[in-house]
Amino acid sequence: MYSVCPFCNKLKAFLDFHRIPYNTVEVGPLFKKELEFSQYKKVPVVLLHDAGNTRQLNDSGAIIDELTQKLLAAGKFRGAESDTSKWSEWVDTKLVQALTVSIYRTPEESLQAMSYITAHPELSWQLVTKYVSAGLMYTISKMKLKKKYGITDERANLYQVLEEWAGAVGERKYLGGDLPSRADIEVFGMVRAIQGMDTFDDLQKNTSITRWYHDMQAVVEQHRDFE
């Protein structure tokens, strides 16, 4: 995984919420040597140990689909079973786009987003990877992603997207009602990934998702004693 990868983090939130033990392997964003075993070179990749066999699962959505079916079959699914597929698609498009261009808005914020790299001594060329990756993502965001997604003001766009989510939740505790839905978990996971960044501080001050976020944090991270 990459620590700032939104798709990895929505999967982590799903695993945390359902109390599924897991170990993570940080992937170097430049060389990706940790994925040499796999023909699939994106993250997340899961190695699922099941009944004495190990299978590789790719793509966060497909992984969550399969784990959901296993949990339902075992009677261990903990969330709301409402269909939130429309919102899951929104998460993978509008929310990902808004978060990505916002955390790479300036050179300083790009370095902030990549600061996790130096916390992983197992990664090669940490400082080089941090600065090169930050520079690449800042350039890609400014020169390509903003134009591709039609975004002019990164923060204003993010606030608008999150207010759309807050409006959908409304007066309910979660989008799923009394229990978090899949979409609740996915949105929470992606937002949780940017804690400690300027973007997170700003969205806490300028959107109305704070109550929902803290409710989700309490239910997802309760008894989280594995990784």
Side-chain angles (χ1 to χ4, degrees), residues 71-90:
L71 290 166
L72 286 169
K76 295 181 179 180
F77 189 80
R78 302 180 63 244
E81 295 185 30
S82 53
D83 181 10
T84 58
S85 55
K86 178 189 79 169
W87 283 103
S88 287
E89 182 179 352
W90 176 92

Side-chain angles (χ1 to χ4, degrees), residues 127-183:
L127 284 176
V128 172
T129 299
K130 174 183 173 179
Y131 282 90
V132 171
S133 298
L136 284 172
M137 289 310 301
Y138 171 72
T139 302
I140 291 169
S141 179
K142 286 291 183 185
M143 302 299 293
K144 181 179 179 180
L145 298 183
K146 287 181 64 178
K147 183 182 296 185
K148 179 180 179 181
Y149 303 145
I151 297 170
T152 52
D153 185 315
E154 298 94 337
R155 286 291 203 272
N157 177 72
L158 178 61
Y159 301 156
Q160 181 180 352
V161 168
L162 289 174
E163 284 304 314
E164 184 179 354
W165 172 254
V169 174
E171 297 300 317
R172 292 170 292 181
K173 189 169 187 179
Y174 311 110
L175 184 68
D178 294 331
L179 293 172
S181 66
R182 171 172 173 167

